[in-house]
Amino acid sequence: MHLYIAYKNYSSWSLRPWLALKMAGIPFEETLLTFAHDDSLKKFSEVHQLPAQVPVLMVGDWVIWDSLAILEYLAETYPEKHLWPEDPQLRALARSAAAEMHSGFSALRSHFPMNCRTEKSVAANEAVLLDLQRLAQIWQRFEQAEKPEGVFLAGQFSNVDAMFAPVMWRVRNYGLTVSPAFDRWAQAMYELPAMQEWLASAREEAWHMPAYER
Ligand SMILES: N[C@@H](CCC(=O)N[C@@H](CS)C(=O)NCC(=O)O)C(=O)O
């Protein structure tokens, strides 16, 4: 199993399946393709007839593209890893939130690009404040749900935490405010050895992308 990703410092979509694989302890190889510093992603996408985007998971000679599709594949292929919650209601809640992350939060995503290395205080505009309020609502809904013990959204770590992982970097690194429940989750996510491993790699990268710097 081979995961293709982009810059660890900047590529929020790459982080999601990478973190799920690490947290589940599923062995995989990884290759970093860049899209602003050479044509490795372009060439890869041409060979495999894909959009020039990562993440992409290769399993043998077949291919799964798109972060959420990869997370679904992992959950199906490794049911013993419980990458979605077992309880159907909690699973539906986790999937709803993951899908909302996948298709929404455009203000937060565009105004506060993930940048693991940066740490600065940046004020949120009206549209971003609405996204932050929506995050607080989601966190409250998980707080009120019946779920197993644990610090993650659905108790134990699951795909919904992977989907929101880049939001932790955005909120933390730009000094944004969501809610105390979000802060508890964010601290637990930050302390994960896998997240620290990602951060260490991001810090080692020499690539610099002005469009992702605030
Ligand atoms: N919907 C896709 C989005 C993937 C995506 O936008 N990936 C970015 C990296 S974070 C990318 O490959 N960008 C290439 C480019 O901008 O040229 C997914 O969820 O996997």
Side-chain angles (χ1 to χ4, degrees):
M1 187 175 301
H2 201 130
L3 183 69
Y4 292 84
I5 58 172
Y7 314 91
K8 285 190 171 164
N9 192 48
Y10 303 113
S11 180
S12 60
W13 296 109
S14 299
L15 169 58
R16 294 163 164 110
W18 185 94
L19 184 63
L21 282 159
K22 285 277 171 179
M23 290 299 290
I26 299 166
F28 67 105
E29 290 172 72
E30 64 182 78
T31 295
L32 196 151
L33 304 169
T34 72
F35 51 84
H37 298 87
D38 64 29
D39 59 358
S40 56
L41 177 55
K42 186 170 171 284
K43 281 192 176 142
F44 177 85
S45 67
E46 284 166 3
V47 169
H48 296 286
Q49 300 190 323
L50 292 170
Q53 288 190 341
V54 283
V56 171
L57 186 69
M58 299 279 301
V59 183
D61 60 356
W62 56 282
V63 75
I64 306 153
W65 69 98
D66 193 283
S67 54
L68 201 46
I70 296 171
L71 293 180
E72 289 289 1
Y73 169 80
L74 295 176
E76 266 181 26
T77 310
Y78 300 93
E80 72 282 6
K81 304 293 186 184
H82 304 294
L83 281 166
W84 289 119
E86 265 178 87
D87 175 78
Q89 279 187 12
L90 192 58
R91 188 163 66 245
L93 172 60
R95 278 203 165 112
S96 301
E100 186 176 341
M101 176 71 251
H102 196 245
S103 60
F105 296 98
S106 57
L108 179 64
R109 280 177 14 211
S110 57
H111 292 282
F112 291 86
M114 187 180 91
N115 184 333
C116 300
R117 290 194 295 251
T118 200
E119 266 187 56
K120 59 178 75 159
S121 199
V122 181
N125 65 22
E126 280 298 311
V128 172
L129 285 174
L130 288 176
D131 276 353
L132 297 176
Q133 281 168 20
R134 178 62 196 143
L135 285 174
Q137 272 178 354
I138 292 174
W139 259 251
Q140 190 179 13
R141 197 175 279 266
F142 275 100
E143 287 260 292
Q144 289 164 352
E146 270 193 39
K147 57 181 182 178
E149 285 289 303
V151 289
F152 298 104
L153 273 166
Q156 299 303 300
F157 183 91
S158 72
N159 277 340
V160 70
D161 301 294
M163 279 306 285
F164 281 99
V167 171
M168 184 282 285
W169 291 116
R170 291 178 160 106
V171 169
R172 181 185 180 94
N173 288 6
Y174 295 109
L176 301 173
T177 303
V178 177
S179 68
F182 180 94
D183 288 346
R184 288 192 291 278
W185 170 86
Q187 189 58 31
M189 291 290 283
Y190 178 76
E191 287 171 5
L192 289 175
M195 286 292 250
Q196 290 302 313
E197 183 185 333
W198 181 273
L199 176 61
S201 302
R203 285 189 173 136
E204 278 169 22
E205 289 176 354
W207 299 293
H208 182 80
M209 293 181 69
Y212 287 66
E213 299 288 339
R214 293 253 359 210

